C-alpha cells in the first residue's frame, strides 16, 4: 500500500465533505431526506450527485493508466439518500463519464459505479423513515469498494495490470472512500439536526408568544390588541422593530423608526400592500425592497407575513432589522409560525363571537316564545285589578314595562347581580298579584354580591320554574327563598321552594332535560359554556318536600377586555 497515495486521497476527500454541507442548506435536498421530493426534484438531486461523482474523478490521482479517485462517494450517497433508482442513475452519470475518459479500467469502473449505486439503494430500503446512520454508510462503503476491486480483477485486461492496480489503490480507496461516505452522511445528519433544533427553538418561542398574546387577540384584531401583541414580540428580543397592520393601516408599531411608521403617519409600505394582496410571505433584504417612502428610514431588511381568518387576509405581521440581508431561515420559521398561531387565534375568536351571537339570538327567540303566555296572564290580572285595585294595576303595568325594556336591552349580555335581581323582583311582583297569598317570597341576599356580574336571564328562569312546576301544582301554594352569598372565589345563589319536588335520582333534569325543565338545562349549559365545567347548577330535590337549585358562578367584576372601575 502506498502511504503517500492514502494521504493524498484523504486531502482530496474534502470535496465530498464540502458538497455534503452545501447540499444540506437547500430545501429541495431536505425534502429528499424526509422522503418528500417530487420526481423532478429527485431527478435534479440525482444529477447533482452524478456531478459530485464526476468531480471525484477529476480530483483523482493518476496511477499508471488508471485513477485512484473518490467518485464512489457521490454515487453511493445518492443511493443511500434516494434509493435504488437514484443510486443507479447517479452511477450511470458518473460511471458513464469515466467510461468516456478511456483506459483499460474504463468499462470496469463504469460497471462498478452502477453496482455500488444499486448496493447503496438497497441499504436505503432498510431505513424507510430516517437518515442512514454513519456507521451503516461506512460498512456499505467498504462493501462497495471491495466489490469495485473484485469487478476490476474480473473484467479489466490485461489481468496483470489489473492486479497491480488493485494492489496499489485497493486499500487506500476502500479506507478513504468508505470514510468519505460515512463523513458525507454524518455531515448531512448533523446539519439537518442543527436546523431542526433551530426550528424547534423558534417554534417554542412562537408558541410562548402566542400564549402571552392570547388574552388580547381573543377580542379580535384592533389597535389595542395589535399594540399589546407587537410589544410582546418586541420584548422577546431579536428584532429592531415590530409592526402589525390591518388591510388599510398600521395598527401598531414598536421599535426604531416608530416616529414615521406609527399609525396615521406614512401609511402602508409597498411591500406590505403586496403581501396583503397576494397573501404570501415576503422577505425584504434591502431598504429598497421594504419600500418605505421615508428616504432616511433605518429599517434595512425585514419579513412580512399575512394574518388570515378563514383564508381571508385581514392584516400583516412585520419584523424588521436595521442591517441588510439579515433575514435568515430562523426568521422565516419564527414569522410563519407566529402568523399561523395568530391567524388560528383570530379565527377562533370569530367563531366564538358568532357562537355568542347565535346563543343570544336563541335566547331572544326562547324568550319571545315564553313572553306571549306570560303577557296574556299578566294582562288578564291587570284587567281584573283596574277597577278594584287601580294603584296595584298601575304598579303591575310599570313592572311589566320594566321587564320588557330589560328583555329588549339586556338579553344575552352580562349584567350585575343587582340588575338581575331587579328583574326577578319585577317578575315576582306580577306573580304575587296573580297568586295572592299562595305565593310567599323570602330573600337572604348578601349585599356584597350585588356588584358582581352574571349572565342576564339566569336567576329569573329558575324562579319561574320553581313557581310553575314546584308551587303551582300544590293546592296551597308555598314559599320561595332566594339566597346569595360570596365565597373566596365564587358566588353561590340558591332558589329553594317547598313545592311538590321531583325525582332527580330517577331522571336528572340537567343530564336529560324534560320539556318542563328546559329552563334549568338552558341556564346550566350557558353557565358551563361561559365559565367552564366547574360552574353551573346543582339540584337537590325530594318528592313532596321541595327543591333547591344552587347556582355557582365565578367572582367577576368586569367583562374580559374591559377596564374594571
Amino acid at each position: 500500500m502506498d502511504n503517500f497515495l492514502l494521504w493524498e486521497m484523504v486531502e482530496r476527500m474534502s470535496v465530498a465533505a464540502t458538497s455534503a454541507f452545501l447540499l444540506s442548506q437547500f430545501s429541495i435536498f431536505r425534502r429528499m431526506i424526509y422522503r418528500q421530493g417530487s420526481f423532478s426534484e429527485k431527478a435534479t438531486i440525482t444529477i447533482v450527485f452524478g456531478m459530485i461523482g464526476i468531480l471525484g474523478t477529476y480530483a483523482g490521482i493518476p496511477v499508471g493508466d488508471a485513477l485512484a479517485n473518490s467518485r464512489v462517494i457521490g454515487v453511493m450517497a445518492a443511493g443511500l439518500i434516494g434509493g435504488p433508482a437514484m443510486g443507479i442513475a447517479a452511477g450511470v452519470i458518473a460511471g458513464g463519464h469515466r467510461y468516456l475518459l478511456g483506459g483499460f479500467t474504463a468499462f470496469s469502473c463504469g460497471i462498478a459505479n452502477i453496482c455500488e449505486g444499486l448496493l447503496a439503494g438497497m441499504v436505503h430500503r432498510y431505513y424507510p423513515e430516517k437518515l442512514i446512520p454513519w456507521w451503516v454508510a461506512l460498512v456499505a462503503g467498504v462493501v462497495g469498494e471491495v466489490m469495485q476491486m473484485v469487478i476490476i480483477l474480473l473484467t479489466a485486461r490485461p489481468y496483470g495490470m489489473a492486479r497491480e492496480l488493485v494492489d496499489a489503490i485497493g486499500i487506500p480507496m476502500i479506507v478513504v472512500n468508505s470514510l468519505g461516505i460515512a463523513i458525507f452522511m454524518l455531515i448531512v445528519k448533523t446539519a439537518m439536526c442543527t436546523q431542526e433544533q433551530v426550528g424547534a427553538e423558534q417554534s417554542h418561542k412562537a408558541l410562548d408568544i402566542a400564549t402571552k398574546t392570547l388574552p388580547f387577540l381573543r377580542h379580535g384584531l384592533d389597535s389595542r390588541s395589535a399594540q399589546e401583541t407587537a410589544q410582546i414580540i418586541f420584548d422577546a428580543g431579536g428584532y429592531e422593530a415590530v409592526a402589525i397592520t390591518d388591510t388599510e393601516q398600521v395598527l401598531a408599531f414598536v421599535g426604531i423608526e416608530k416616529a414615521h411608521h406609527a399609525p396615521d403617519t406614512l401609511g402602508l409600505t409597498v411591500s406590505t400592500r403586496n403581501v396583503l394582496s397576494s397573501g404570501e410571505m415576503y422577505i425584504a433584504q434591502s431598504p429598497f425592497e421594504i419600500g418605505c417612502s421615508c428616504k432616511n428610514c433605518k429599517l434595512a431588511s425585514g419579513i412580512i407575513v399575512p394574518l388570515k381568518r378563514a383564508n381571508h387576509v385581514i392584516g400583516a405581521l412585520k419584523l424588521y432589522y436595521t442591517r441588510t440581508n439579515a433575514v435568515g431561515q430562523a426568521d422565516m420559521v419564527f414569522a410563519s409560525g407566529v402568523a399561523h398561531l395568530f391567524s388560528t387565534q383570530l379565527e377562533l375568536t370569530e367563531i366564538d363571537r358568532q357562537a355568542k351571537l347565535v346563543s343570544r339570538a336563541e335566547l331572544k327567540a326562547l324568550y319571545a316564545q315564553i313572553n306571549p303566555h306570560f303577557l296574556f296572564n299578566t294582562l288578564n290580572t291587570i284587567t281584573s285589578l283596574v277597577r278594584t285595585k287601580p294603584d296595584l294595576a298601575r304598579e303591575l303595568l310599570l313592572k311589566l314595562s320594566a321587564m320588557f325594556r330589560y328583555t329588549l336591552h339586556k338579553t344575552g349580555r352580562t349584567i350585575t347581580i343587582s340588575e338581575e335581581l331587579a328583574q326577578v323582583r319585577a317578575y315576582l311582583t306580577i306573580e304575587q298579584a296573580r297568586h295572592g297569598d299562595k305565593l310567599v317570597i323570602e330573600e337572604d341576599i348578601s349585599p356584597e354580591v350585588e356588584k358582581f356580574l352574571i349572565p342576564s336571564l339566569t336567576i329569573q328562569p329558575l324562579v319561574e320554574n320553581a313557581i310553575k312546576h314546584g308551587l303551582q301544582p300544590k293546592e296551597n301554594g308555598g314559599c320561595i327563598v332566594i339566597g346569595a352569598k360570596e365565597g373566596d372565589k365564587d358566588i353561590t345563589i340558591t332558589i329553594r321552594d317547598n313545592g311538590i319536588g321531583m325525582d332527580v335520582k330517577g331522571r336528572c333534569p340537567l343530564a336529560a332535560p324534560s320539556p318542563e325543565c328546559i329552563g334549568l338545562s338552558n341556564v346550566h349549559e350557558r353557565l358551563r359554556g361561559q365559565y367552564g365545567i366547574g360552574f353551573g347548577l346543582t339540584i337537590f330535590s325530594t318528592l313532596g318536600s321541595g327543591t333547591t337549585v344552587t347556582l355557582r358562578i365565578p367572582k367577576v367584576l368586569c367583562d374580559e377586555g374591559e377596564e374594571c372601575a
Side-chain angles (χ1 to χ4, degrees), residues 10-52:
V10 169
E11 289 180 5
R12 302 189 186 195
M13 191 177 64
S14 60
V15 174
T18 303
S19 301
F21 176 77
L22 292 176
L23 280 173
S24 67
Q25 305 305 305
F26 291 94
S27 58
I28 181 176
F29 183 74
R30 291 195 295 273
R31 287 196 295 275
M32 199 67 56
I33 294 292
Y34 295 120
R35 310 327 198 232
Q36 298 173 349
S38 64
F39 176 80
S40 60
E41 290 174 337
K42 289 181 179 179
T44 301
I45 292 298
T46 300
I47 293 173
V48 170
F49 277 120
M51 297 302 294
I52 292 174

Side-chain angles (χ1 to χ4, degrees), residues 238-258:
Y239 298 102
E240 275 81 27
V242 177
I244 296 177
T245 78
D246 60 13
T247 56
E248 300 294 335
Q249 61 181 343
V250 176
L251 295 176
F253 193 99
V254 179
I256 194 170
E257 299 294 6
K258 179 179 178 180

Side-chain angles (χ1 to χ4, degrees), residues 545-560:
S545 299
T547 300
T548 299
V549 178
T550 302
L551 183 154
R552 195 168 76 89
I553 57 174
K555 294 166 69 173
V556 179
L557 287 172
C558 56
D559 285 326
E560 294 183 16

Side-chain angles (χ1 to χ4, degrees), residues 317-338:
L317 169 66
K318 306 193 287 185
L319 309 174
Y320 290 112
Y321 288 110
T322 55
R323 312 179 308 278
T324 58
N325 298 307
V327 178
Q329 181 66 31
D331 298 302
M332 298 179 201
V333 173
F334 172 73
S336 60
V338 169

Side-chain angles (χ1 to χ4, degrees), residues 216-217 219-232 242-247 249-254 258 262-264 307 314 346 561:
F216 306 105
L217 290 179
H219 300 292
L221 185 64
D222 54 28
S223 57
R224 183 190 174 193
S225 64
Q227 182 64 36
E228 296 288 351
T229 299
Q231 188 65 53
I232 289 171
V242 177
I244 296 177
T245 78
D246 60 13
T247 56
Q249 61 181 343
V250 176
L251 295 176
F253 193 99
V254 179
K258 179 179 178 180
D264 302 325
L307 299 176
I314 61 170
L346 292 170

Side-chain angles (χ1 to χ4, degrees), residues 123-314:
V123 173
H124 167 89
R125 291 191 171 182
Y126 286 95
Y127 294 86
E129 297 180 356
K130 62 180 181 180
L131 197 63
I132 294 174
W134 66 269
W135 63 269
V136 174
L138 176 67
V139 173
V142 171
V143 174
E145 283 298 80
V146 169
M147 181 171 61
Q148 178 172 227
M149 297 304 123
V150 171
I151 291 175
I152 290 174
L153 291 174
L154 292 176
T155 60
R157 293 295 180 268
Y159 176 79
M161 290 181 61
R163 179 63 182 270
E164 291 179 6
L165 178 65
V166 170
D167 289 341
I169 69 172
I171 292 179
M173 285 187 63
I174 291 172
V175 172
V176 173
N177 287 341
S178 58
L179 284 174
I181 295 169
I183 291 172
F184 188 103
M185 299 303 293
L186 185 61
I187 290 176
V188 169
K189 185 174 182 178
T190 301
M192 297 297 292
C193 289
T194 301
Q195 291 175 358
E196 288 177 357
Q197 183 177 359
V198 171
E201 291 174 354
Q202 294 299 330
S203 297
H204 181 270
K205 181 179 176 182
L207 185 59
D208 182 58
I209 289 174
T211 301
K212 293 178 180 178
T213 58
L214 178 59
F216 306 105
L217 290 179
R218 69 183 301 175
H219 300 292
L221 185 64
D222 54 28
S223 57
R224 183 190 174 193
S225 64
Q227 182 64 36
E228 296 288 351
T229 299
Q231 188 65 53
I232 289 171
I233 298 175
F234 183 78
D235 292 340
Y239 298 102
E240 275 81 27
V242 177
I244 296 177
T245 78
D246 60 13
T247 56
E248 300 294 335
Q249 61 181 343
V250 176
L251 295 176
F253 193 99
V254 179
I256 194 170
E257 299 294 6
K258 179 179 178 180
H260 70 269
H261 276 284
D264 302 325
T265 52
L266 294 179
L268 300 179
T269 61
V270 174
S271 55
T272 303
R273 294 189 182 279
N274 290 337
V275 169
L276 293 174
S277 60
S278 67
E280 301 292 335
M281 177 192 297
Y282 178 76
I283 299 170
Q285 299 287 21
S286 67
F288 175 78
E289 292 175 346
I290 291 176
C292 179
S293 58
C294 179
K295 295 182 179 179
N296 298 320
C297 182
K298 296 180 181 179
L299 301 179
S301 61
I303 182 169
I304 307 173
V305 287
L307 299 176
K308 299 180 180 181
R309 185 176 63 207
N311 295 323
H312 295 290
V313 177
I314 61 170

